[in-house]
Amino acid sequence: MRVLVTTSAVNSHLNNLVPTAWALRTAGHEVCVASQPDLTEAIKNSGLPAVAVGEPMAKPRGIDESSGTPFGLGFDIAETRPEKLTLDYVRGTLDTYTSMVGEYMADQSMLDDLVRFARAWKPDLVLWDAHNYAGPVLARVIGAAHVRILPAPDHWARMHARYLDLAAEQTSPPSADDDPMAAYLGAKLARYDREYDEEVVVGQATLDPLPSWVGFPLDIDYRAVRHVPYHGPTVVPPWLRRKPKRPRVCLTLGQTRRALGVQGSAGGEEVSITDVLEGVAALDVEVIATLRADQLPPNTVVPDNVRLFDFLPLNPLLPTCSAVVHYGGMGSVGAAVVHGVPQLGIPGDMWGEGDVMARLEGRGAGLVGRGDTLVEQLRRLIEDPSFLEGAAQVQKEMLATPSPRDMVPELEALTARHRESRIG
């Protein structure tokens, strides 16, 4: 069968899709990956055919985290407090995120180009990044089966399910036109004479490579799949093959923050990169920091025990580390889980990173960084064997999850059923 994989031009989102795309390719299926032109080189470097669609995504831009809400939007799609999740708040969140974040990740030019390409190439299955809603619209337009894959906790579906529940409780239920997801996706479908339904929001199935303790109890066809760390072309430097003389700590901001232009402060704690570097200087550790020069504030003093690299893939680095310090992105969390490394999270404020790290702390596999206690927390993470035991347990659970290769027969069967239903 032919499989069209689609994502936005964010490397970490592509990296999340590559293992499943290659599993399909090595099973004999024809696979190509479509995204904005600024991701073309990264797709080519993955060894998969690239299709450039739409206009380049906006250049990296500073995101104002001082407003108390992600991206300065006034709403947080990761909000979970029941008292906060009123009908007005949920509706406002979905309306804002679809028009701002959803359209930023996949605008109309991308969708139009995708449809033109797909009508010529005729894919049987569309595998789409769950933050890129051009994928399911495209699949509905051309009549293909479609499956999404989660790059982060499923807040789109959770928030929309909350909206539907709240709307149903009203004495005078809102009309379908009041549903922001239905309005946003319905307008895109209407351009191609197609109609909206809930399947466009959640796919015909959802591949979930996140740890089981990150999920939500939603009535969705989730299919757990093992997270396989992929970070692009990798050359393992000679020094990385030698055992470190003292505990090694990885410090990373993650690729999504880079792609969206997020600088070095994190969430409500407002912990800066400078704070972190000053803190680790007091410890007898070797720190490998994957930071570009433009991610460091002017006149930053880099301690003697810190080595800076523009980029160093986590997959070969983490097995040599005693701990990893990061901002709660799922690429970093997933890689650390796979390699059984205790984690110190200084949660960012983009997609519920604080909740993810709190859940990891609850599993005994890491800690949520808390401002001026960072040094002692990192020391504890390295010296207390219980964290290594907790990390080993979550690692064991992840490695027992079906691999992307195990998912291929399920995707084949789903596509066959869809084809039969259309013929029938």
Side-chain angles (χ1 to χ4, degrees):
M1 63 184 180
R2 285 183 168 179
V3 183
L4 175 58
V5 181
T6 186
T7 183
S8 305
V10 179
N11 284 51
S12 59
H13 288 236
L14 169 67
N15 294 349
N16 187 53
L17 294 162
V18 166
T20 301
W22 262 111
L24 288 158
R25 182 71 187 91
T26 55
H29 299 295
E30 194 172 352
V31 179
C32 69
V33 182
S35 186
Q36 291 100 337
D38 26 341
L39 198 65
T40 298
E41 284 302 312
I43 298 170
K44 288 168 57 181
N45 288 338
S46 76
L48 294 163
V51 178
V53 290
E55 301 296 327
M57 280 182 66
K59 295 299 181 183
R61 52 191 170 80
I63 291 176
D64 177 15
E65 296 189 55
S66 64
S67 67
T69 59
F71 314 107
L73 295 178
F75 296 95
D76 185 357
I77 202 166
E79 177 64 65
T80 58
R81 291 170 292 178
E83 68 276 12
K84 187 78 171 176
L85 295 177
T86 63
L87 180 61
D88 286 344
Y89 185 90
V90 173
R91 181 164 43 207
T93 300
L94 291 172
D95 185 49
T96 302
Y97 270 74
T98 51
S99 62
M100 300 295 292
V101 179
E103 195 63 15
Y104 174 72
M105 300 293 274
D107 64 13
Q108 192 63 47
S109 71
M110 180 183 191
L111 176 59
D112 290 341
D113 274 3
L114 273 172
V115 170
R116 279 190 286 269
F117 170 74
R119 281 175 167 166
W121 197 60
K122 295 180 172 57
D124 303 289
L125 170 67
V126 176
L127 181 67
W128 51 283
D129 175 88
H131 291 185
N132 185 304
Y133 275 104
V137 174
L138 157 73
R140 178 61 58 85
V141 170
I142 65 171
H146 64 103
V147 173
R148 64 182 183 143
I149 185 165
L150 298 180
D154 199 8
H155 291 301
W156 279 116
R158 179 189 62 84
M159 193 64 81
H160 190 237
R162 177 69 174 170
Y163 171 82
L164 295 176
D165 288 344
L166 290 170
E169 293 171 1
Q170 302 304 302
T171 304
S172 299
S175 68
D177 293 338
D178 291 327
D179 180 343
M181 291 295 286
Y184 176 70
L185 295 172
K188 290 185 175 294
L189 288 160
R191 287 170 60 96
Y192 300 99
D193 296 320
R194 299 294 188 273
E195 294 183 356
Y196 166 88
D197 59 42
E198 188 66 11
E199 184 185 274
V200 183
V201 177
V202 299
Q204 294 171 330
T206 299
L207 300 189
D208 184 1
L210 312 182
S212 59
W213 35 268
V214 173
F216 304 107
L218 301 174
D219 185 18
I220 291 174
D221 183 8
Y222 289 115
R223 306 190 186 192
V225 60
R226 187 186 314 158
H227 177 78
V228 177
Y230 168 78
H231 305 100
T234 299
V235 176
V236 181
W239 62 266
L240 200 52
R241 304 176 215 159
R242 297 188 290 269
K243 184 177 180 179
K245 296 180 180 179
R246 50 184 174 170
R248 177 174 288 159
V249 175
C250 170
L251 169 63
T252 178
L253 284 180
Q255 293 192 44
T256 301
R257 295 176 68 87
R258 286 187 182 191
L260 297 178
V262 180
Q263 302 302 314
S265 64
E269 293 290 350
E270 293 299 327
V271 180
S272 71
I273 288 297
T274 302
D275 295 334
V276 177
L277 293 178
E278 289 178 354
V280 298
L283 298 175
D284 185 23
V285 297
E286 174 195 35
V287 178
I288 305 299
T290 58
L291 300 169
R292 292 193 311 247
D294 62 1
Q295 291 178 295
L296 295 174
N299 303 316
T300 297
V301 176
V302 179
D304 292 339
N305 63 339
V306 175
R307 300 173 66 184
L308 296 180
F309 294 85
D310 279 357
F311 174 72
L312 192 62
L314 294 181
N315 208 35
L317 173 61
L318 287 182
T320 73
C321 293
S322 299
V324 56
V325 182
H326 58 69
Y327 280 71
M330 289 311 306
S332 301
V333 171
V337 165
V338 167
H339 291 294
V341 181
Q343 307 176 47
L344 178 60
I346 310 170
D349 188 19
M350 291 176 63
W351 208 263
E353 293 88 344
D355 180 60
V356 170
M357 292 311 305
R359 295 186 188 208
L360 182 71
E361 183 175 288
R363 295 299 307 271
L367 292 170
V368 178
R370 294 180 174 88
D372 57 5
T373 66
L374 280 175
V375 175
E376 288 309 310
Q377 285 184 300
L378 183 56
R379 190 194 312 275
R380 181 183 165 202
L381 203 66
I382 294 170
E383 296 178 356
D384 185 342
S386 69
F387 291 104
L388 190 59
E389 294 168 4
Q393 180 57 41
V394 297
Q395 176 192 40
K396 180 180 178 181
E397 294 169 6
M398 178 60 78
L399 296 182
T401 306
S403 71
R405 183 183 65 179
D406 297 326
M407 290 293 105
V408 171
E410 295 189 27
L411 294 173
E412 292 169 336
L414 181 147
T415 304
R417 288 194 300 272
H418 176 77
R419 187 183 299 117
E420 291 168 2
S421 69
R422 293 189 69 210
I423 295 172

